[in-house]
Coordinates of all heavy atoms in Angstrom, one line a residue:
P152 N -11.5 9.7 8.2 CA -12.8 9.0 8.1 C -12.7 7.6 8.8 O -11.6 7.1 9.0 CB -12.9 8.8 6.5 CG -11.5 8.9 6.1 CD -10.8 9.9 6.9
T153 N -13.8 7.0 9.1 CA -13.9 5.7 9.7 C -14.4 4.7 8.8 O -15.1 5.0 7.8 CB -14.7 5.8 11.0 OG1 -16.1 6.2 10.6 CG2 -14.2 6.8 12.0
E154 N -14.0 3.5 9.0 CA -14.5 2.3 8.3 C -15.5 1.6 9.1 O -15.8 2.0 10.2 CB -13.3 1.5 7.9 CG -12.3 2.1 6.9 CD -11.1 1.2 6.6 OE1 -10.7 0.4 7.5 OE2 -10.6 1.4 5.5
G155 N -16.0 0.4 8.6 CA -17.0 -0.3 9.3 C -16.6 -0.6 10.8 O -15.5 -0.8 11.1
G156 N -17.6 -0.5 11.7 CA -17.4 -0.7 13.1 C -16.8 0.5 13.8 O -16.4 0.4 14.9
G157 N -16.7 1.7 13.1 CA -16.2 2.8 13.8 C -14.7 2.9 13.8 O -14.1 3.8 14.5
K158 N -14.0 1.9 13.3 CA -12.5 1.9 13.3 C -11.9 2.9 12.4 O -12.3 3.0 11.2 CB -12.0 0.5 13.0 CG -10.5 0.3 13.1 CD -10.1 -1.1 12.7 CE -8.6 -1.3 12.8 NZ -8.2 -2.6 12.4
K159 N -11.0 3.7 12.9 CA -10.4 4.7 12.0 C -9.5 4.1 11.0 O -8.8 3.2 11.3 CB -9.6 5.7 12.9 CG -10.5 6.7 13.7 CD -9.7 7.7 14.4 CE -10.5 8.7 15.2 NZ -11.3 8.1 16.2
K160 N -9.6 4.7 9.8 CA -8.7 4.2 8.7 C -7.3 4.7 9.0 O -7.0 5.9 9.3 CB -9.1 4.8 7.4 CG -8.3 4.2 6.2 CD -8.9 4.8 4.9 CE -8.1 4.3 3.7 NZ -8.7 4.8 2.5
E161 N -6.3 3.8 9.1 CA -5.0 4.1 9.4 C -4.3 4.9 8.3 O -4.5 4.6 7.1 CB -4.1 2.9 9.7 CG -4.6 2.2 11.0 CD -3.7 1.0 11.3 OE1 -2.7 0.7 10.6 OE2 -4.0 0.2 12.3
R162 N -3.5 5.9 8.6 CA -2.9 6.7 7.6 C -1.6 5.9 7.2 O -0.8 5.5 8.0 CB -2.4 8.1 8.2 CG -1.8 9.0 7.1 CD -1.4 10.3 7.7 NE -2.6 11.0 8.1 CZ -2.5 12.1 8.9 NH1 -1.4 12.5 9.4 NH2 -3.7 12.7 9.3
K163 N -1.5 5.7 5.9 CA -0.4 4.8 5.4 C 0.9 5.6 5.5 O 2.0 5.0 5.8 CB -0.7 4.4 4.0 CG 0.4 3.5 3.3 CD 0.0 3.1 1.9 CE 1.0 2.3 1.3 NZ 0.6 1.9 -0.1
H164 N 0.9 6.9 5.2 CA 2.1 7.6 5.1 C 2.2 8.6 6.3 O 1.5 9.6 6.4 CB 2.2 8.4 3.8 CG 2.2 7.5 2.6 ND1 3.2 6.7 2.2 CD2 1.2 7.2 1.7 CE1 2.9 6.0 1.1 NE2 1.7 6.3 0.8
A165 N 3.2 8.3 7.2 CA 3.3 9.1 8.4 C 3.8 10.5 8.1 O 3.6 11.5 8.9 CB 4.3 8.5 9.4
N166 N 4.5 10.7 7.0 CA 5.1 12.0 6.7 C 4.1 12.9 5.8 O 4.6 13.8 5.2 CB 6.4 11.9 6.0 CG 6.4 11.1 4.7 OD1 5.3 10.7 4.3 ND2 7.5 11.0 4.1
H167 N 2.9 12.5 5.7 CA 1.9 13.3 5.0 C 1.0 13.9 6.0 O 0.4 13.2 6.9 CB 1.1 12.4 4.0 CG 0.2 13.2 3.2 ND1 -1.2 12.9 3.1 CD2 0.3 14.3 2.4 CE1 -1.8 13.7 2.3 NE2 -0.9 14.6 1.9
V168 N 0.8 15.2 6.0 CA 0.1 15.9 7.1 C -1.4 15.9 6.9 O -2.1 16.5 7.7 CB 0.6 17.3 7.3 CG1 2.1 17.3 7.7 CG2 0.5 18.1 6.0
G169 N -1.9 15.2 5.9 CA -3.4 15.2 5.8 C -3.9 15.4 4.4 O -3.2 16.0 3.5
S170 N -5.1 15.0 4.1 CA -5.6 15.1 2.7 C -6.5 16.4 2.7 O -7.3 16.7 3.6 CB -6.5 13.9 2.4 OG -7.2 14.1 1.2
L171 N -6.4 17.1 1.6 CA -7.2 18.3 1.4 C -7.9 18.2 0.0 O -7.8 19.1 -0.8 CB -6.4 19.6 1.4 CG -5.7 19.9 2.8 CD1 -4.7 21.0 2.6 CD2 -6.8 20.4 3.8
T172 N -8.5 17.0 -0.2 CA -9.0 16.7 -1.5 C -9.9 17.8 -2.1 O -9.9 18.1 -3.3 CB -9.8 15.4 -1.5 OG1 -9.0 14.4 -0.9 CG2 -10.3 14.9 -2.9
F173 N -10.8 18.4 -1.2 CA -11.7 19.3 -1.7 C -11.3 20.8 -1.4 O -12.2 21.7 -1.5 CB -13.1 19.0 -1.1 CG -13.6 17.6 -1.4 CD1 -13.6 16.6 -0.4 CD2 -14.1 17.4 -2.7 CE1 -14.0 15.4 -0.8 CE2 -14.5 16.1 -3.0 CZ -14.5 15.1 -2.0
H174 N -10.1 21.0 -1.2 CA -9.6 22.4 -0.9 C -9.8 23.2 -2.2 O -9.5 22.8 -3.3 CB -8.1 22.4 -0.5 CG -7.6 23.7 -0.3 ND1 -7.8 24.4 0.9 CD2 -6.9 24.6 -1.1 CE1 -7.2 25.6 0.8 NE2 -6.7 25.7 -0.4
E175 N -10.3 24.4 -2.1 CA -10.5 25.3 -3.2 C -9.4 26.2 -3.4 O -9.0 27.0 -2.5 CB -11.8 26.1 -2.9 CG -12.2 27.0 -4.1 CD -13.4 27.9 -3.9 OE1 -14.0 27.8 -2.8 OE2 -13.8 28.6 -4.8
F176 N -8.8 26.1 -4.6 CA -7.7 27.0 -5.0 C -8.3 28.2 -5.7 O -9.0 28.0 -6.7 CB -6.6 26.2 -5.8 CG -6.0 25.2 -5.0 CD1 -6.4 23.8 -5.1 CD2 -4.9 25.4 -4.1 CE1 -5.9 22.8 -4.3 CE2 -4.3 24.4 -3.4 CZ -4.8 23.1 -3.5
K177 N -8.0 29.4 -5.3 CA -8.7 30.6 -5.8 C -7.9 31.5 -6.7 O -8.5 32.5 -7.2 CB -9.3 31.3 -4.6 CG -10.2 30.5 -3.7 CD -10.7 31.3 -2.5 CE -11.6 30.5 -1.7 NZ -12.1 31.3 -0.5

């Protein structure tokens, strides 16, 4: 996601491969 001015939010943890907050576990 981007913050104000179109600047991308920096990922704090380099060893995390991404967020899947809304992933559906079935």
Side-chain angles (χ1 to χ4, degrees):
T153 59
E154 295 179 327
K158 183 180 179 181
K159 288 186 175 65
K160 185 177 180 180
E161 293 183 3
R162 184 180 297 167
K163 181 178 178 181
H164 299 286
N166 62 359
H167 185 231
V168 296
S170 171
L171 294 168
T172 307
F173 300 106
H174 181 80
E175 183 181 0
F176 297 95
K177 300 179 180 180

